[in-house]
Amino acid sequence: MKKNQKLTIKEKLKLLVLNGQFTTYDLDGKISPIELSDGPNGIRKGLVEESEQVNIHCYPALSVLGNSWDREVIYNVGEAIASDCIDNNIDIILGPGINIKRTPVCGRNFEYFSEDAYLAGELASEYVSGCQNRGIGTCLKHFAANNREYDRLFRTSEVDLRTFREIYTKAFEMVIQKADPYSIMCSYNPVNGINASENEWLLRGILRRELQYEGVVFSDWGAVHNHALAVKASLDIRCPYSTNSELELKDGIKKGIINEVYIDESVNRILELSDKVEKARKKRSPLDDTDRYNIALRAAESGCVLLKNENGLLPIKAKKITVLGELSESPSYAGGGSAEVVIEKKRIKSLVQCIQEINPETEIYYEKLYSRENCTHRTAGVRVFNEPKGLSLAYDSELTILIVGDTFSEETESMDRTSIKLNAHLEKLICNVAQKTKKLVVVVEAGSAIDMTAWIDKVQAVVYTGFAGEAINEALANILTGKTNPSGRLSETFPRCLEDTPIGGKLENPYADRYKEGVFVGYRHYVTNNVPVLFPFGYGLSYSTFKYSNFNVKEIKKQEYCVSFDVENISNIDGAEVCQLYVDNIDMKVERPRRELRRFDKIYLKSGEKKKVSFHLDKDCFAYFNICYNTWHVDEGRYEIIVAKNVNTDIFMKKIYVKQF
Ligand code: BGC
């Protein structure tokens, strides 16, 4: 829009709501409309007319990207998804989701990176930069404290300020500073009693004043209850179109809730966004289609976690193997709801085909074994076939691979998981197969942590793929055969059972969700309260062995240190290691978690190669959110720096004394 062009009040009010589902108003050609689409792991089919769809890919879910711990891979996924948007005339992708995985029952966990805000913030910044540098805007969601789906429109998240800043808004703060996202979406849930969309403390206070966000805030779809209150809180665009909008806004003006100053603030932000989009359109350049598939593949491989590998069963050495399970031909490549990406069937190859393409001489018996059609929840819907053919072949062969998991109707938006165990029929199936064979690999496709205690000790190897997108089977075949070395690490703890989790399995008060566990979320809870887990945060195996040496901690200046060490791949296979650095505040003046992730890096090492890893620690690595000063604060005292393989396995530790400024 030209700078001096004036808008009437009617036009301004129109701009504050979407024109339909996913487009902003153009005001009769005065401004260029902005096209939005879900995200974040692929363009949501149905938003683009089928006949006009070009190159729509399904990338791994964000939880898989979280398990990759790989900044470069995620930057590339951002670029790839931007390329799909360019081909389909979309300006802003509605993602990434950076809510914290507070409980493994949250139905949308597969849409989120981690239980740790630092990891989520670092990785999401790469996604946003990759996407925006190709000229497509992003929309960080859902601000804030949207950590369950149960009754999400009405159940208030009751969170104290310190927890809010350290756990639930920290990732937003980081992405705003590092990657300047075009937009942010507010959440459905009330926060401390007031709907997020209309919450002045949340939007005007925390997001704009404290986190210094100057871009456009969209509402979640249908999250606005009163448009005037939302504008007052500094929400810019109500989504989708609502017939109530104009009335509510006019009524709000009449009652003095808002005036033209509030309206202009939002209008100016929308006009700025529109200018930004117009400029970006001119410099957009998509990656080619094959590159995008390769990015989807690399991301799926990078996020695949090898959880168990007894006696080096994997990679496959056997010449005669059995593959069991319907999911191996029609895998769970994505979760359900607005992040569901429907792609053409031909894009998904079966696991058998993928293994065969790598090793044509391998003899493979395949049996579907069960059907998950019509399976909508955990206790029903799986039909296990009676015929024993598949099972007897499994006993004959040198290695059996059984693929199990959740479907997109079990892990989906708008409802929580009813359990963190696999469907009872599948658990039984694993135990039955395990009883007869001593070489069983179980592959799990799911969107969040799974309680595997009923069967894990009975099987020899476990691979966790997550909902890994269209390249899931090729990535899995590459990992199983050793063509690719697994390098994923869990970005969320796998507890032994739901009851062990920070909030247990109960809903408690249905109207208010009290975040009583405070900052003790995810590993912060398990480590501090000494709760044993099935697999800790940061855990994952490799076919390589890495040796760490030359640990060194140097004070650079007050509250700043340089930590360095060498990592060497002492095996004969190329691989990647995720180096993790945690900090523990020994002399805590306030209650703090026993350790917190402060730095990490994924490094690729050829067989025999050695690299030096250096981390620069600054005040952020020692700080907590002090509610008296209303800011991040470092207490003077002793801290321990821990370099670790995962949050429970230390390699180097050193105590330092951090001085006050
Ligand atoms: C979801 C958002 C999504 C929007 C648009 C809502 O139900 O919570 O994440 O972007 O729908 O489809």
Side-chain angles (χ1 to χ4, degrees):
M1 194 179 111
K2 294 196 187 68
K3 274 262 165 331
N4 50 7
Q5 200 165 353
K6 282 256 178 329
L7 294 181
T8 63
I9 182 77
K10 199 169 170 33
E11 286 172 326
K12 289 178 184 174
L13 298 190
K14 212 168 185 182
L15 264 192
L16 304 182
V17 61
L18 280 190
N19 178 7
Q21 274 293 329
F22 291 100
T23 314
T24 59
Y25 273 103
D26 74 340
L27 305 182
D28 299 324
K30 276 195 181 163
I31 65 168
S32 145
I34 303 169
E35 289 296 333
L36 317 171
S37 164
D38 282 306
N41 50 317
I43 295 174
R44 185 169 164 200
K45 206 168 169 172
L47 301 186
V48 180
E49 285 292 324
E50 200 144 347
S51 55
E52 288 165 19
Q53 286 176 11
V54 197
N55 299 337
I56 292 188
H57 290 267
C58 179
Y59 303 95
L62 295 189
S63 58
V64 177
L65 300 185
N67 287 345
S68 79
W69 296 60
D70 193 322
R71 293 180 174 88
E72 191 187 319
V73 158
I74 296 172
Y75 183 91
N76 291 154
V77 171
E79 288 188 290
I81 197 134
S83 307
D84 292 6
C85 289
I86 297 170
D87 288 351
N88 290 282
N89 299 315
I90 285 157
D91 300 301
I92 294 180
I93 191 91
L94 299 173
I98 55 169
N99 294 97
I100 293 301
K101 298 187 196 195
R102 176 174 174 240
T103 162
V105 299
C106 173
R108 286 185 99 168
N109 271 357
F110 70 91
E111 288 190 60
Y112 305 138
F113 286 95
S114 180
E115 65 188 24
D116 181 84
Y118 173 71
L119 182 61
E122 282 287 309
L123 299 182
S125 299
E126 296 297 328
Y127 181 111
V128 169
S129 303
C131 193
Q132 294 192 169
N133 288 346
R134 292 242 159 218
I136 298 296
T138 55
C139 179
L140 282 189
K141 61 193 191 184
H142 309 87
F143 196 79
N146 178 190
N147 309 100
R148 289 188 81 143
E149 288 300 289
Y150 172 80
D151 203 13
R152 63 179 181 177
L153 284 172
F154 303 105
R155 199 161 185 250
T156 163
S157 298
E158 306 275 305
V159 200
D160 68 83
L161 180 62
R162 178 178 160 209
T163 303
F164 202 60
R165 295 297 302 270
E166 282 184 31
I167 306 289
Y168 298 103
T169 60
K170 177 72 186 170
F172 286 92
E173 184 167 355
M174 288 173 69
V175 184
I176 290 168
Q177 277 168 17
K178 286 176 142 229
D180 193 15
Y182 277 31
S183 61
I184 289 185
M185 187 191 296
C186 80
S187 58
Y188 280 122
N189 52 285
V191 176
N192 295 335
I194 299 173
N195 295 318
S197 61
E198 291 142 16
N199 194 322
E200 270 192 88
W201 172 81
L202 178 72
L203 300 183
R204 198 172 281 283
I206 301 286
L207 183 61
R208 301 224 184 260
R209 197 173 50 237
E210 302 290 332
L211 310 192
Q212 295 177 6
Y213 185 62
E214 290 173 358
V216 160
V217 175
F218 289 100
S219 78
D220 201 339
W221 266 238
V224 171
H225 303 249
N226 180 305
H227 202 161
L229 292 178
V231 171
K232 185 160 185 245
S234 86
L235 183 124
D236 300 311
I237 302 187
R238 176 183 194 159
C239 310
Y241 175 74
S242 163
T243 42
N244 299 340
S245 242
E246 201 182 333
L247 277 178
E248 284 172 10
L249 288 172
K250 284 185 175 158
D251 191 48
I253 298 172
K254 210 158 86 200
K255 290 188 175 137
I257 298 172
I258 48 170
N259 53 34
E260 218 163 332
V261 176
Y262 286 104
I263 293 167
D264 282 348
E265 266 181 28
S266 282
V267 166
N268 287 339
R269 282 191 288 261
I270 298 167
L271 294 178
E272 260 168 43
L273 178 65
S274 165
D275 278 354
K276 204 164 164 177
V277 164
E278 252 191 293
K279 278 192 199 119
R281 277 187 194 133
K282 294 187 186 120
K283 54 166 207 190
R284 286 176 184 167
S285 72
L287 297 172
D288 78 46
D289 200 37
T290 331
D291 286 346
R292 295 182 222 172
Y293 178 78
N294 289 336
I295 288 171
L297 173 63
R298 192 163 164 234
E301 289 171 347
S302 197
C304 184
V305 190
L306 179 63
L307 292 175
K308 179 172 181 179
N309 194 19
E310 222 169 76
N311 302 322
L313 183 62
L314 293 174
I316 302 173
K317 289 138 206 101
K319 291 277 167 276
K320 189 177 164 194
I321 65 169
T322 299
V323 173
L324 299 173
E326 184 192 44
L327 287 179
S328 78
E329 44 179 300
S330 40
S332 287
Y333 60 85
S338 60
E340 185 178 340
V341 181
V342 184
I343 46 170
E344 302 146 294
K345 268 225 153 79
K346 64 168 196 241
R347 281 199 186 267
I348 306 267
K349 291 198 248 171
S350 81
L351 179 63
V352 171
Q353 185 191 346
C354 294
I355 298 179
Q356 211 80 78
E357 279 170 10
I358 302 167
N359 287 332
E361 72 290 352
T362 309
E363 209 181 310
I364 308 178
Y365 302 106
Y366 168 65
E367 198 67 48
K368 189 169 174 174
L369 205 61
Y370 61 81
S371 165
R372 307 223 61 190
E373 251 169 67
N374 306 324
C375 174
T376 47
H377 55 90
R378 265 150 220 287
T379 46
V382 175
R383 195 151 58 86
V384 178
F385 301 143
N386 286 331
E387 69 241 66
K389 196 170 137 227
L391 288 180
S392 53
L393 287 173
Y395 315 146
D396 286 351
S397 67
E398 296 158 42
L399 180 90
T400 303
I401 302 164
L402 172 59
I403 324 291
V404 293
D406 287 347
T407 63
F408 63 87
S409 40
E410 286 169 310
E411 295 204 40
T412 182
E413 180 178 337
S414 79
M415 61 188 231
D416 282 332
R417 297 160 95 195
T418 50
S419 154
I420 62 165
K421 283 174 175 284
L422 288 170
N423 182 296
H425 295 281
L426 293 179
E427 283 204 331
K428 204 162 143 208
L429 194 62
I430 300 173
C431 296
N432 285 347
V433 180
Q435 224 176 31
K436 305 279 172 42
T437 166
K438 290 278 155 284
K439 295 200 171 151
L440 177 59
V441 181
V442 174
V443 175
V444 182
E445 300 174 355
S448 195
I450 295 282
D451 166 359
M452 303 179 179
T453 46
W455 51 268
I456 189 133
D457 292 337
K458 303 183 174 128
V459 310
Q460 286 64 52
V462 180
V463 177
Y464 183 81
T465 59
F467 295 149
E470 67 186 31
I472 182 169
N473 275 339
E474 193 174 341
L476 179 59
N478 288 349
I479 301 268
L480 292 171
T481 57
K483 189 173 167 195
T484 302
N485 194 345
S487 62
R489 303 287 186 265
L490 294 179
S491 52
E492 66 182 303
T493 310
F494 276 33
R496 292 179 314 175
C497 59
L498 190 54
E499 290 64 39
D500 282 353
T501 61
I503 62 166
K506 297 200 191 77
L507 284 173
E508 295 173 357
N509 182 346
Y511 303 109
D513 194 355
R514 301 195 198 289
Y515 285 43
K516 281 188 294 207
E517 71 288 355
V519 295
F520 299 94
V521 174
Y523 69 84
R524 288 167 167 80
H525 157 70
Y526 302 106
V527 171
T528 311
N529 300 321
N530 289 315
V531 180
V533 298
L534 188 61
F535 295 111
F537 176 81
Y539 175 86
L541 303 173
S542 163
Y543 299 146
S544 299
T545 311
F546 302 99
K547 191 177 142 206
Y548 285 65
S549 59
N550 285 333
F551 177 55
N552 189 23
V553 178
K554 211 167 79 202
E555 183 170 2
I556 308 170
K557 50 181 164 163
K558 257 191 200 157
Q559 302 188 350
E560 277 188 46
Y561 295 81
C562 176
V563 177
S564 63
F565 49 89
D566 294 335
V567 186
E568 186 178 359
N569 180 350
I570 54 167
S571 65
N572 52 16
I573 165 165
D574 301 349
E577 173 73 326
V578 177
C579 305
Q580 304 166 35
L581 185 145
Y582 297 86
V583 173
D584 174 15
N585 183 186
I586 302 168
D587 303 323
M588 329 177 209
K589 292 189 180 140
V590 295
E591 206 187 16
R592 294 184 73 173
R594 278 277 48 139
R595 55 185 61 185
E596 294 185 274
L597 181 75
R598 296 307 196 191
R599 294 287 180 263
F600 68 91
D601 202 5
K602 186 166 191 170
I603 49 165
Y604 287 80
L605 293 163
K606 297 217 166 300
S607 162
E609 194 183 358
K610 187 179 189 172
K611 276 186 190 162
K612 184 183 171 110
V613 177
S614 300
F615 291 130
H616 177 243
L617 310 194
D618 56 20
K619 111 181 225 298
D620 286 355
C621 296
F622 309 105
Y624 66 98
F625 192 82
N626 184 305
I627 51 165
C628 300
Y629 307 137
N630 193 34
T631 188
W632 297 98
H633 176 78
V634 178
D635 278 337
E636 177 158 336
R638 286 175 306 155
Y639 290 76
E640 187 151 46
I641 291 171
I642 305 135
V643 173
K645 268 195 98 63
N646 58 63
V647 76
N648 282 355
T649 313
D650 303 339
I651 296 169
F652 302 120
M653 301 167 88
K654 186 171 168 82
K655 291 189 180 65
I656 55 167
Y657 192 88
V658 177
K659 292 186 206 91
Q660 197 89 55
F661 266 149

